Amino acid sequence: MAKMSLIFSLLVGLLMVGLVSSAKFDDLYQTSWAFDHVQYDGDTLKLNLDNYSGAGFASKSKYLFGKVSIQIKLVGGDSAGTVTAFYMSSDGPNHNEFDFEFLGNTTGEPYLVQTNVYVNGVGNREQRLDLWFDPTKEFHTYSLLWNQRQVVFLVDETPIRVHTNLEHKGIPFPKDQAMGVYSSIWNADDWATQGGRVKTDWSHAPFIASYKGFEIDACECPASVAGADNAKKCSSSAEKRFWWDEPTLSELNVHQSHQLMWVRANHLIYDYCTDTSRFPAIPTECVHHRH
C-alpha cells in the first residue's frame, strides 16, 4: 500500500511539472502601462479608461500550453467606443496570438465579443458573437485552453470557438512560441462600435473594467530558452505527463461539442469563414475546421 501511495505521489508530481497557478494578481501579473489608471480594491483589480489614457497589465512569465483564466466584469452603461481585451501573444513580427476583445456598446445594446487567432504573424480570423448574459452585471470567467491539438476559447467553461491543429493539411499551427498573457482597456471608437459610427462619450468616463480570479495552469518558459527547447520541455514524454496532453483534451467531448453548436447557432454574428467580400476564396482552414 505504501509503495502504491509513493508511486501515485510521484505521478502527481510529474503531472505538475512546470505548472503555475494562483488567484492573486501580484503572483502572476504586473501593470504594464498607465499605472495611475490601475486601482486595487481588495482582491479586485480595476483598469480605468478616460480621455487621457487606458491601462493594461501583462504576465510576469511566458507559457507554452495549458490554460489561462480571468474573471472579468466589463464596463457598464454606455461603453460605446471602448475595447477591453484579454489575450495571449508571443513576440516579434511572426508572432502567435489568441484574442478576446470585448466591444463596448450604447446603453441597452449587447456587448459583442470578437475572437481572433494569429499564426506566424497572420491574423484576419475574426469571429464575433453576443453573449447569453449581461457581462457588466457580474464577474464571468474567460479562458484560453491551448495544447498541441487545439486552441479553445471558453466563457464560463462553455466553448465558443475552437481552432484545430490542421498541420496534416499543410496549415501552420501555433505550438512553438511561448506566449505572455495580457489585458487592457483602450479607446477604439474608430471601429469598435457599429463600425466606428458610434463614438466614445467621454462624459461617462472613467470606463472601468474589473478583474479577479487570476489563474494560470500552464508550462512556464524561461525567456533564455530557445523555442524548440521550450516545446520539448512542455510536451509529455516517458518521464513526464502533462494534463493538457491527455487524449481526452485532443478534441471537445460530446457535451462541449453540443455547447459549441448551440453558441454558433444562437449567438454567432460574424465569421470570417463566410465573409466572401473579404475572402472570395474560402480560407483553407475553414474548409477543414469543424468549428
Side-chain angles (χ1 to χ4, degrees), residues 202-273:
W202 294 111
S203 68
H204 294 145
F207 302 98
I208 301 174
S210 302
Y211 300 78
K212 66 178 184 179
F214 305 90
E215 295 186 3
I216 297 178
D217 191 353
C219 184
E220 187 173 8
C221 297
S224 59
V225 177
D229 292 332
N230 276 329
K232 183 177 180 180
K233 169 182 179 288
C234 297
S235 301
S236 295
S237 65
E239 291 77 31
K240 61 183 186 296
R241 292 290 302 174
F242 292 112
W243 65 264
W244 52 79
D245 286 330
E246 292 304 300
T248 53
L249 293 174
S250 63
E251 60 183 3
L252 300 184
N253 62 35
V254 173
H255 176 63
Q256 291 172 322
S257 295
H258 289 163
Q259 287 180 312
L260 179 60
M261 290 172 61
W262 176 83
V263 168
R264 291 183 59 81
N266 294 281
H267 295 279
L268 186 66
I269 294 171
Y270 173 83
D271 186 351
Y272 77 104
C273 285

Side-chain angles (χ1 to χ4, degrees), residues 1 30 50 61 63 92 100 108 134 144 181 183 212 237 275 277 285:
M1 188 69 179
Q30 58 193 0
D50 57 27
S61 298
Y63 306 91
F100 275 103
D134 184 344
L144 290 163
V181 188
S183 189
K212 66 178 184 179
S237 65
D275 190 343
S277 62
E285 70 262 24

Side-chain angles (χ1 to χ4, degrees), residues 87-271:
Y87 61 104
M88 297 184 71
S89 180
S90 57
D91 299 326
N94 297 317
H95 75 292
N96 299 327
E97 186 173 331
F98 314 139
D99 293 340
F100 275 103
E101 291 181 317
F102 305 95
L103 312 183
N105 217 329
T106 53
T107 302
E109 295 297 318
Y111 251 90
L112 296 183
V113 180
Q114 176 169 286
T115 61
N116 201 355
V117 176
Y118 285 74
V119 184
N120 296 335
V122 179
N124 297 323
R125 298 181 176 90
E126 298 91 347
Q127 292 183 3
R128 287 188 182 185
L129 65 152
D130 57 23
L131 293 166
W132 49 98
F133 54 83
D134 184 344
T136 71
K137 298 299 184 185
E138 297 177 348
F139 285 90
H140 291 270
T141 302
Y142 304 92
S143 306
L144 290 163
L145 170 65
W146 175 31
N147 59 31
Q148 297 188 65
R149 299 293 297 275
Q150 60 180 354
V151 180
V152 185
F153 294 73
L154 301 119
V155 176
D156 291 335
E157 294 303 309
T158 296
I160 64 166
R161 179 175 185 170
V162 176
H163 186 79
T164 306
N165 186 336
L166 295 172
E167 288 181 301
H168 63 288
K169 298 290 186 180
I171 299 169
F173 182 79
K175 65 174 189 179
D176 57 3
Q177 297 183 40
M179 305 171 83
V181 188
Y182 306 88
S183 189
S184 56
I185 184 170
W186 78 93
N187 177 45
D189 63 6
D190 57 332
W191 66 271
T193 306
Q194 298 180 32
R197 290 187 295 274
V198 181
K199 301 301 182 181
T200 304
D201 183 348
W202 294 111
S203 68
H204 294 145
F207 302 98
I208 301 174
S210 302
Y211 300 78
K212 66 178 184 179
F214 305 90
E215 295 186 3
I216 297 178
D217 191 353
C219 184
E220 187 173 8
C221 297
S224 59
V225 177
D229 292 332
N230 276 329
K232 183 177 180 180
K233 169 182 179 288
C234 297
S235 301
S236 295
S237 65
E239 291 77 31
K240 61 183 186 296
R241 292 290 302 174
F242 292 112
W243 65 264
W244 52 79
D245 286 330
E246 292 304 300
T248 53
L249 293 174
S250 63
E251 60 183 3
L252 300 184
N253 62 35
V254 173
H255 176 63
Q256 291 172 322
S257 295
H258 289 163
Q259 287 180 312
L260 179 60
M261 290 172 61
W262 176 83
V263 168
R264 291 183 59 81
N266 294 281
H267 295 279
L268 186 66
I269 294 171
Y270 173 83
D271 186 351

